[in-house]
Amino acid sequence: MLHEALRGIKVLDLSRILAGPWCTQNLADLGAQVIKIEHPERGDDTRGWGPPDLRAADGAASMSAYFMACNRGKQSVALDFSSAAGAERVRELAADADILVENYKAGGLRKYGLDYAALSEINPRLIYLSITGYGQTGPMAAKPGYDYVFQGMGGLMSYTGQPDGMPGAGPLRTGVAVVDLMTGMYATSAVLAALHQRDRTGRGMPLDICLLDVAVALNANQGANYLVSGVSPHRTGNAHPNCAPYEVFACADGHLILAIGNDGQFARFCEVVAHPEWSRDDRYATNSARLVNMDSLRPLIADALGGAEWRRWTDAFDAAGVPWGPIHTLEEVFAHPQVRHRGLVQTVRHPVLGELRLVRNPLLAGTPREALGAAPPLLGEHTHAVLAGRNTN
């Protein structure tokens, strides 16, 4: 089972906020021992990113929901490595670690003797992952940055949002820190590849993952569209730049997402809404033609769908094989029968905070639920055990 794939791997986690912790939570979910080093007084910044917070029954301890989202399965050790004694304890932990993850400014750990050059002398097998805003080199390497900055700088916000002239027009960020999350996923892949390479070479290596690189890569087909055409994409609201109709439409009692990916699906859609002539019209018969003529097709579809409740259409779309989707609140998401069947809500018990509900890692589909991760830790919860050499996982 994948939840034991990294059993025996020791990870020293000096990262904070989201990108680094998302990576190390993946490693913990895959069975690694993850030791999270936190400042004894402040801890990870996200411990204070509430409400909402989960509180113990007696009110003596609490944990923010944000921190819970990305720190499952870790051991918290309270150490101040800005002191000589604290830095030495971190070096002792790094001496037999397999992976170290940090997200300080480029070169920021050098003054404590905790940079790759220093630690690789102690442990040549160490894989040292640095996550920064702009990378380890270049004219902006020393500058810090948060996800929001890179959603704008990397281009994502330039084509996300309602187009000019529409209500609410203007650039728009995504509802979650998507650059941080994708950086954590790219970092996870890099670490796993470095572990595989170490099996062949016997040596670790430094890894340089930065949010700017990820933000640029995240443009995906939009980036490719620009590189091919030389034209920067513009904001199209909920419409897709390469497929049509592929957007949100209103029904009499709500909204649905129509996701037509080819001409056959469009023809079946036209049959369902009793307008088969659309699929024979040269303006709409092919995806390329629909993209060009969507301004005239959109109101036709809106009129057809708007006269009935969405359930009438969705049942018919299912029967005809027309792709569609609902727009759920999170209450509806977690109550959905398919989400429940997939076991995406994981319940774990913390010795102080009691029962916690978390979202299960999609990597672990098929893993027995009772085998899934430990609760996120309180600040310094495992300090004495870890420094005494005990693995509490």
Side-chain angles (χ1 to χ4, degrees):
M1 289 289 187
L2 280 181
H3 71 285
E4 297 180 341
L6 297 183
R7 189 71 62 199
I9 295 295
K10 178 178 173 180
V11 180
L12 199 54
D13 183 7
L14 276 64
S15 68
R16 306 139 298 154
I17 316 294
L18 184 55
W22 198 254
C23 168
T24 53
Q25 179 170 262
N26 281 333
L27 302 177
D29 284 344
L30 293 172
Q33 178 191 10
V34 177
I35 301 170
K36 184 177 180 69
I37 305 298
E38 300 188 72
H39 190 278
E41 297 172 5
R42 300 185 299 272
D44 188 311
D45 293 6
T46 61
R47 288 189 181 275
W49 285 16
D53 302 275
L54 184 68
R55 291 197 167 272
D58 62 4
S62 67
M63 185 181 297
S64 74
Y66 199 115
F67 180 86
M68 289 167 55
C70 48
N71 287 287
R72 173 180 56 241
K74 304 177 186 179
Q75 301 168 315
S76 175
V77 172
L79 276 178
D80 180 3
F81 56 75
S82 67
S83 71
E88 182 58 29
R89 299 310 297 269
V90 174
R91 281 191 288 273
E92 290 170 2
L93 291 170
D96 65 347
D98 297 282
I99 301 158
L100 184 146
V101 179
E102 59 93 2
N103 64 345
Y104 288 82
K105 288 189 292 185
L109 295 181
R110 189 176 300 119
K111 60 187 174 183
Y112 307 119
L114 299 177
D115 57 308
Y116 175 71
L119 294 184
S120 63
E121 289 290 327
I122 300 169
N123 180 1
R125 291 176 55 81
L126 182 66
I127 295 165
Y128 190 106
L129 168 65
S130 295
I131 297 176
T132 57
Y134 298 90
Q136 296 295 307
T137 59
M140 299 183 73
K143 186 175 179 177
Y146 283 82
D147 170 277
Y148 206 154
V149 170
F150 297 104
Q151 288 196 37
M153 186 176 182
L156 179 64
M157 289 176 61
S158 73
Y159 54 82
T160 302
Q162 293 297 331
D164 291 338
M166 297 290 289
L172 192 68
R173 72 173 182 91
T174 62
V176 294
V178 65
V179 178
D180 268 342
L181 295 171
M182 286 300 296
T183 298
M185 297 307 297
Y186 273 110
T188 302
S189 297
V191 164
L192 296 178
L195 279 172
H196 183 63
Q197 178 167 299
R198 192 183 70 174
D199 286 343
R200 297 198 309 269
T201 67
R203 292 193 62 86
M205 62 185 301
L207 298 172
D208 174 8
I209 304 289
C210 78
L211 274 71
L212 177 61
D213 291 1
V214 172
V216 174
L218 189 57
N219 289 302
N221 59 294
Q222 293 279 31
N225 289 347
Y226 167 74
L227 293 174
V228 168
S229 69
V231 178
S232 290
H234 58 277
R235 297 188 305 277
T236 56
N238 286 316
H240 196 287
N242 297 108
C243 297
Y246 204 104
E247 56 190 270
V248 175
F249 289 95
C251 300
D253 61 342
H255 294 80
L256 61 81
I257 300 165
L258 193 60
I260 302 296
N262 58 54
D263 298 337
Q265 292 171 357
F266 181 68
R268 295 196 296 276
F269 163 78
C270 294
E271 292 287 344
V272 170
V273 298
H275 285 284
E277 72 278 7
W278 292 347
S279 65
R280 297 191 294 269
D281 189 318
D282 287 344
R283 294 173 298 169
Y284 313 132
T286 66
N287 182 68
S288 296
R290 291 191 295 276
L291 282 171
V292 172
N293 295 291
M294 199 59 201
D295 284 348
S296 62
L297 179 59
R298 185 176 290 111
L300 299 178
I301 296 174
D303 286 345
L305 295 180
E309 296 179 351
W310 72 274
R311 178 61 67 186
R312 170 191 167 185
W313 297 123
T314 58
D315 289 346
F317 291 160
D318 281 342
V322 175
W324 71 277
I327 299 174
H328 281 156
T329 65
L330 287 183
E331 180 181 5
E332 292 168 323
V333 169
F334 291 121
H336 194 279
Q338 185 67 16
V339 172
R340 293 169 68 90
H341 171 79
R342 296 292 293 179
L344 287 172
V345 175
Q346 171 187 350
T347 300
V348 296
R349 176 160 289 278
H350 189 276
V352 175
L353 296 174
E355 189 175 274
L356 285 67
R357 293 199 304 159
L358 306 169
V359 177
R360 189 178 59 122
N361 194 322
L363 292 170
L364 301 181
T367 300
R369 296 184 192 184
E370 62 272 14
L372 299 177
L378 294 175
L379 176 59
E381 182 177 337
H382 306 96
T383 301
H384 298 300
V386 169
L387 296 183
R390 301 197 305 272
N391 183 350
T392 61
N393 280 358

